[in-house]
Amino acid sequence: MSADNLADDRLAQLLQRSLQENAADFFPAASPFAATVPQEDDFPSLWQEIAKTLLPAGSSNRQPSGKIDTAPIDAVPVPPIPAETVPVLPVSVPRDFDIAAIRNDFPLLSEKVHGKPLIWFDNGATTQKPRAVIERLTYFYEHENSNVHRGAHDLAARATDAYENARRIVRQFLHASSPNEIVFVRGTTEAINLVAAAWGRDNIHRGDEILLSHLEHHANIVPWQLLAQETGAVIKVIPVDANGDLLLNDYTDRLRSGKVKLAAVTQVSNALGTVTPAAEMVRIAHQFGAKVLIDGAQSVAHLAADVQKLDADFFVFSGHKIFAPTGIGVLYGKEEILQTMRPYQSGGGMITDVTFEKAEYQPAPGRFEAGTGNIADAVALGTALEYVRSAGLESIKQYEHRLLTHTLNEMEQIPGIRIIGTPRERAGVISFVHDRLNTEEINQALAAEGIALRAGHHCAQPILRRFGCESTVRASLAFYNTLEETDFFINTLKNIVVR
């Protein structure tokens, strides 16, 4: 260890020891929100950041050495952080997947519209929030609200711990190898734009190809179109068959050219519900030297995510699609790739040193989190993911499959109804049209009965046009929906189309 880094580590350890000795003042044992503080090796940069801020001038260009060395310095042993308490809302979901108890956790599901119970079948657009998430937000603003990093006061420490704990929860949920691979963004759209700008501009050039599927949401089309216009690259499209499944042979053939630098593919179609063979597509793309971005916006609430097994170079999702607040999302990127990428936005927080001649940048993920982020909603995202994990994604998948199968079987018996797409595997979404009524008429009639769906192109015009549609009605389900709700929806739809 260099003398500079030794000085950084010495001060960092002394600060760490001071905080642990005064932990009771920061996190009272009587707090109703109790959880174990993660050990110091879960956040190697926090204490180094404090040290760098407080060291004398001239030390600001030094990079922290990483994990704090807990060996004695000047004969003063510094033990690791003990198990104390940090304000985190306890999350509990019935182990037997009690749907009534789960629904009781979501306050808005008891709402009435037009004097009738709300049936929320618009989960593909956004999900409702469990009470645990709502209360976690409230607790943050009542007890922890501060900007994160570098502040030496109590609330800054609380907010920073809560924010970085959320990053660790995301890492665990995605099975990423390091918190450094988790970048907080506003949502899927910003995450894709970040990759296009910060990776694409340096790695995609004139004549290179970007491979997209016919299933993509506009957010996974337009950023790549803009990049292609800027660089002279070419967009290629993976077709789908008459069922709405991707044609893997065509995908492989397009990769054989050797020109494809990136394949950007959804894991679940937001318009058809098609589940794509994402892991197989990543494997094939890597054989031909292409990087892969997987859009997990529609899959993350329905399918277990393991980015190491998936082996995608980038994985993106939005918090509000998985029971967290709006305005927060995640970019996962392999650490070795993130560390080579240029900043996306610039400003405070993403730098290590600034002069009028130049700036030096933080390593990932800080490099991509300029300015004050959406701290409270990041914290609440962590709570939402813990809620889902407690429920069990495999249990969620099985329950939703029963709902989806039942609903599809019943809808196929309704005269004039055409289901759009019949993929081999479907998650969460049913799009349909009627041979006489337009989609907006159906949508409004259902809404009058308290049933919230969505009519339109769902920001996925290419795939709808592939099936000859400009608009569909979309029912999108979640694990708090019930068979009784789907039956009421089916009966209501029958009454509407026979009027």
Side-chain angles (χ1 to χ4, degrees), residues 204-209 226-235:
I204 294 177
H205 309 290
R206 180 172 298 279
D208 290 340
E209 294 177 354
L226 292 175
L227 180 65
Q229 292 167 11
E230 179 182 333
T231 62
V234 179
I235 302 262

Side-chain angles (χ1 to χ4, degrees), residues 26 28 31-33 87 89 131-146 154-156 158-159 162 375-377 379:
F26 290 121
S31 168
F33 308 107
L89 193 68
R131 188 172 286 103
V133 168
I134 297 168
E135 291 179 354
R136 187 66 185 90
L137 274 175
T138 300
Y139 188 88
F140 179 88
Y141 283 119
E142 289 182 347
H143 300 283
E144 300 165 315
N145 185 42
S146 171
D154 294 11
L155 289 183
R158 294 183 192 180
I375 303 166
D377 289 337
V379 173

Side-chain angles (χ1 to χ4, degrees), residues 93-115:
V93 172
R95 291 184 180 180
D96 58 355
F97 206 75
D98 182 343
I99 187 63
I102 288 172
R103 286 180 62 81
N104 190 54
D105 286 339
F106 290 80
L108 202 138
L109 295 183
S110 62
E111 190 75 7
K112 291 191 175 183
V113 291
H114 305 297

Side-chain angles (χ1 to χ4, degrees), residues 34-317:
T36 300
V37 169
Q39 295 300 305
E40 52 85 21
D41 60 2
D42 283 334
F43 47 101
S45 63
L46 173 59
W47 307 111
Q48 304 295 340
E49 273 296 314
I50 299 173
K52 286 177 60 186
T53 302
L54 299 180
L55 282 171
S59 65
S60 58
N61 286 327
R62 294 200 299 271
Q63 295 294 320
S65 62
K67 181 178 177 180
I68 297 172
D69 182 358
T70 55
I73 295 181
D74 295 339
V76 180
V78 182
I81 295 177
E84 294 291 348
T85 55
V86 63
V88 175
L89 193 68
V91 174
S92 177
V93 172
R95 291 184 180 180
D96 58 355
F97 206 75
D98 182 343
I99 187 63
I102 288 172
R103 286 180 62 81
N104 190 54
D105 286 339
F106 290 80
L108 202 138
L109 295 183
S110 62
E111 190 75 7
K112 291 191 175 183
V113 291
H114 305 297
K116 300 172 182 178
L118 171 67
I119 296 178
W120 187 256
F121 281 3
D122 198 18
N123 295 287
T126 198
T127 55
Q128 299 306 330
K129 319 308 172 194
R131 188 172 286 103
V133 168
I134 297 168
E135 291 179 354
R136 187 66 185 90
L137 274 175
T138 300
Y139 188 88
F140 179 88
Y141 283 119
E142 289 182 347
H143 300 283
E144 300 165 315
N145 185 42
S146 171
N147 216 322
V148 295
H149 304 142
R150 296 180 301 282
H153 55 78
D154 294 11
L155 289 183
R158 294 183 192 180
T160 297
D161 283 349
Y163 185 69
E164 294 303 331
N165 187 55
R167 196 187 308 276
R168 288 187 290 275
I169 291 171
V170 175
R171 182 206 70 75
Q172 293 164 358
F173 189 85
L174 296 181
H175 296 90
S177 61
S178 167
N180 295 334
E181 297 180 321
I182 305 303
V183 180
F184 286 126
V185 291
R186 288 183 300 146
T188 302
T189 298
E190 184 174 45
I192 295 171
N193 276 274
L194 190 161
V195 175
W199 181 85
R201 286 175 178 165
D202 289 333
N203 292 278
I204 294 177
H205 309 290
R206 180 172 298 279
D208 290 340
E209 294 177 354
I210 303 166
L211 195 52
L212 310 176
S213 88
H214 218 135
L215 296 169
E216 300 313 310
H217 187 284
H218 296 167
N220 204 23
I221 299 174
V222 180
W224 307 115
Q225 288 178 335
L226 292 175
L227 180 65
Q229 292 167 11
E230 179 182 333
T231 62
V234 179
I235 302 262
K236 297 288 186 176
V237 179
I238 313 159
V240 299
D241 63 19
N243 298 318
D245 286 311
L246 290 179
L247 295 171
L248 274 185
N249 288 339
D250 292 66
Y251 171 69
T252 304
D253 288 344
R254 282 158 174 74
L255 285 162
R256 292 187 197 282
S257 69
K259 296 180 180 180
V260 176
K261 300 300 181 184
L262 177 78
V265 184
T266 187
Q267 191 169 23
V268 172
S269 164
N270 76 303
L272 306 187
T274 301
V275 178
T276 65
E280 177 69 3
M281 297 180 79
V282 172
R283 185 188 65 79
I284 295 171
H286 285 170
Q287 287 180 349
F288 293 96
K291 296 289 190 287
V292 184
L293 179 146
I294 297 296
D295 176 356
Q298 291 295 327
S299 64
V300 71
H302 305 286
L303 307 175
D306 188 327
V307 293
Q308 293 190 70
K309 288 183 179 178
L310 185 63
D311 199 29
D313 302 285
F314 304 101
F315 183 91
V316 299
F317 73 91

Side-chain angles (χ1 to χ4, degrees), residues 91-93 102 105-106 130 132 382-391 479:
V91 174
S92 177
V93 172
I102 288 172
D105 286 339
F106 290 80
T383 301
L385 297 184
E386 290 284 73
Y387 185 93
V388 171
R389 189 163 60 180
S390 297
F479 74 125

